Amino acid sequence: TILNWPSISAPVTLPFMVEEIARIFTLGLANEGLPLWVVILVTLLLLAGTIAALRHRHGYVALLYFLVPPALMLLLSLDRPFWNPKFLLIALPGYCLLLGMGVHAQLAALPGWGKSPIVQWAGVMGVLALFAVATYPTLANEYHNPRYARDDYQGVVTTIMAQAGAN
C-alpha cells in the first residue's frame, strides 16, 4: 500500500529539511523564523552535543535517534515526496538529548570555579531562560494568531447535538 501512496508535498532538499527541522524542533510550528542568536546558540550546542555523543560510549544512540528519521524521510522522498513535519516527531527526543549533551559539555569545560553546583545550575537556568525568551513569539502565535488556530471541535459537537434526532 505504501508504494501506491501519492506525493503529499513538493520535492524536498537537504537544505530545506535542515532549516525546517531546526525551526520546528527549536521553536515549534507556530514560529515565523529563527532569530540569528537562536541559530548560533542551537548550532553551538548541537555541535558540542554531537562531539560529546561521539566521545561517549552510548552517545551514538542520541545521534542516530536524531539523524535516522530525517535521513529516511529524505531518501523515501526522492521518488515520491511526502514532507510533513509530524513524521519527524520521533527524532525530537534525539535532538533534545543532543542539546542537553551540548549544555553539559559546555558546563563541564568551565574552569575550576565553574564546577560549583551553583554555577552549573545558573548555566542551565541561563540556557533555559534564553529558550523561554526565544519561544515567547511562538507561544503568542499559538494562542492569539488565528492562522495557527486549531479546528473548532466545540462547534462540530454543537452542530451534531443540535441536529441529533431520536435515531
Side-chain angles (χ1 to χ4, degrees):
T1 304
I2 291 174
L3 296 176
N4 295 324
W5 282 359
S7 298
I8 63 169
S9 72
V12 294
T13 61
L14 182 60
F16 169 80
M17 282 187 72
V18 168
E19 183 179 329
E20 283 297 290
I21 289 169
R23 182 181 70 82
I24 293 167
F25 281 10
T26 304
L27 298 180
L29 285 170
N31 71 61
E32 302 293 333
L34 288 173
L36 181 60
W37 68 271
V38 174
V39 172
I40 292 169
L41 175 66
V42 169
T43 301
L44 291 175
L45 291 177
L46 280 178
L47 285 174
T50 301
I51 292 168
L54 293 173
R55 290 182 179 166
H56 192 268
R57 191 173 84 174
H58 299 291
Y60 292 100
V61 174
L63 198 57
L64 291 173
Y65 204 173
F66 173 55
L67 294 177
V68 169
L72 285 174
M73 181 179 277
L74 187 63
L75 286 174
L76 293 173
S77 289
L78 292 176
D79 181 43
R80 206 173 13 258
F82 69 99
W83 168 257
N84 190 331
K86 72 179 180 181
F87 296 141
L88 294 175
L89 190 58
I90 193 169
L92 185 58
Y95 177 79
C96 293
L97 285 169
L98 287 176
L99 283 179
M101 291 174 85
V103 171
H104 182 267
Q106 294 304 310
L107 292 174
L110 290 174
W113 58 269
K115 306 294 185 209
S116 161
I118 293 172
V119 173
Q120 300 275 321
W121 182 83
V124 170
M125 290 299 114
V127 170
L128 289 175
L130 288 173
F131 276 107
V133 167
T135 57
Y136 176 77
T138 301
L139 291 173
N141 281 339
E142 187 72 38
Y143 290 112
H144 305 293
N145 188 339
R147 178 177 166 203
Y148 297 104
R150 302 192 83 192
D151 293 331
D152 180 20
Y153 294 109
Q154 285 182 325
V156 171
V157 170
T158 303
T159 302
I160 291 172
M161 296 301 286
Q163 295 177 0
N167 293 329

